[in-house]
Amino acid sequence: MLGRTAVSVAAALLAASGVAQAQPDFELVARPDVSFQALNPLRGEASPKAGVLWGDIRNPAATGTLVQFRDGFSSPPHIHNITYRAVVISGEVHNDDPEAAQLWMGPGSFWTQPAGETHVTSAQGEATKIFLEILEGPYLVRPKEEAFDNGERPVNIEARNVVWLDPSDVSWIDAPRDALGPQMAFLWGEPGDNGRNGTFLRLPAGFDGILSSAGDWLKAVVIEGIITHQRTDSKTRTRLEPGSYFGTPTDIDHALACDSSAGCLLYVSAKGKFAFSSR
């Protein structure tokens, strides 16, 4: 998504940054603490800017990154060496085959970009921002002439087309089974034991619950709304706005409260199942 000359630039710049609270078993990054750098300095102010939440895209590591675009940004046709997945936080993004009609995806939309497939990325809006996740780096940009088919196919899900599941539909949520309860949506991966997967977790205004996982990987990014986060073994409460992140590789419970009248949305990257229960 970065342009022809960004291959080495992105790899040279982006290691994990902005960790506000870090312990061996816990990370939390509040959005104002994220440090952004140009992905392609040769494009000047037109370059997208990125701030890494976790990982290091220079190495064979799983990485979560915020990317922000200027209004009117448009990349040339290009490919990536790896598959990435992304969620729109603000503004609108078009990501598709160079010949495809424009499909503008707003906040809460999700897409996947398979490795090797030629595509373009465009943005509109003064503050367009996305969350981008890779399962293994390094993250590189290659010219379209190096395109290849890795067997995957792209997915574009506009926010209004997300399929939501209520507590009565899934065992992952333990909450009152009414219209005001939390909901989730499966986006990708294997939801079975220890399988990697990505989901949305949507909380109604004022809802207070516990997010936990027995697996060795749980990372959550705030997409919409304001979340108050507190580890259940700590008295520290942190206000997390869209673009903030918390994660843990061990069995730690996270108390979450949605402080937005319009509700809250989180993207959750996990191994195996997580559990969310009201309190």
Side-chain angles (χ1 to χ4, degrees):
M1 73 169 48
L2 312 177
R4 299 175 189 274
T5 60
V7 179
S8 60
V9 176
L13 288 175
L14 291 175
S17 60
V19 178
Q21 300 178 35
Q23 300 175 25
D25 59 357
F26 176 66
E27 289 183 339
L28 185 147
V29 180
R31 165 60 187 86
D33 296 324
V34 178
S35 176
F36 286 85
Q37 300 180 71
L39 282 168
N40 185 359
L42 295 179
R43 294 194 67 171
E45 288 301 313
S47 172
K49 295 179 173 61
V52 174
L53 299 178
W54 71 81
D56 183 344
I57 66 174
R58 301 170 301 181
N59 298 318
T63 305
T65 306
L66 298 180
V67 181
Q68 53 190 28
F69 302 91
R70 290 178 61 90
D71 184 25
F73 170 82
S74 184
S75 75
H78 63 282
I79 71 166
H80 296 282
N81 62 311
I82 47 84
T83 295
Y84 75 78
R85 299 171 176 88
V87 181
V88 181
I89 296 176
S90 58
E92 294 183 306
V93 173
H94 165 75
N95 189 89
D96 214 326
D97 181 273
E99 303 303 318
Q102 287 186 326
L103 170 66
W104 291 106
M105 299 181 289
S109 300
F110 167 80
W111 82 90
T112 67
Q113 183 56 56
E117 180 164 302
T118 302
H119 64 287
V120 296
T121 303
S122 304
Q124 63 179 14
E126 292 299 326
T128 300
K129 185 184 290 87
I130 69 167
F131 166 72
L132 184 151
E133 181 181 30
I134 63 173
L135 298 185
E136 185 178 15
Y139 173 92
L140 302 175
V141 180
R142 301 296 193 194
K144 64 180 181 178
E145 290 75 18
E146 297 182 21
F148 60 91
D149 185 350
N150 77 340
E152 298 179 85
R153 294 297 176 262
V155 174
N156 288 331
I157 304 177
E158 208 277 332
R160 291 168 293 184
N161 293 329
V162 173
V163 178
W164 293 102
L165 302 174
D166 296 314
S168 58
D169 301 316
V170 292
S171 62
W172 299 33
I173 300 176
D174 181 11
R177 298 170 185 255
D178 56 40
L180 299 178
Q183 297 175 303
M184 68 178 299
F186 291 103
L187 300 174
W188 64 271
E190 298 291 337
D193 293 341
N194 210 40
R196 291 295 297 270
N197 61 82
T199 62
F200 278 152
L201 178 62
R202 184 163 69 177
L203 309 182
F207 194 88
D208 191 350
I210 302 292
L211 177 65
S212 60
S213 173
D216 61 358
W217 180 277
L218 178 71
K219 298 182 181 294
V221 179
V222 180
I223 303 300
E224 296 178 350
I226 303 297
I227 292 284
T228 296
H229 173 277
Q230 180 182 2
R231 286 179 51 162
T232 56
D233 60 354
S234 170
K235 295 182 179 180
T236 301
R237 294 168 60 87
T238 306
R239 181 181 182 274
L240 300 179
E241 62 186 72
S244 301
Y245 146 73
F246 62 89
T248 175
T250 57
D251 187 7
I252 291 176
D253 292 339
H254 305 267
L256 307 176
C258 177
D259 297 329
S260 297
S261 59
C264 299
L265 178 65
L266 297 98
Y267 172 80
V268 182
S269 177
K271 281 187 180 180
K273 298 179 180 179
F274 64 79
F276 185 77
S277 58
S278 60
R279 67 169 187 168

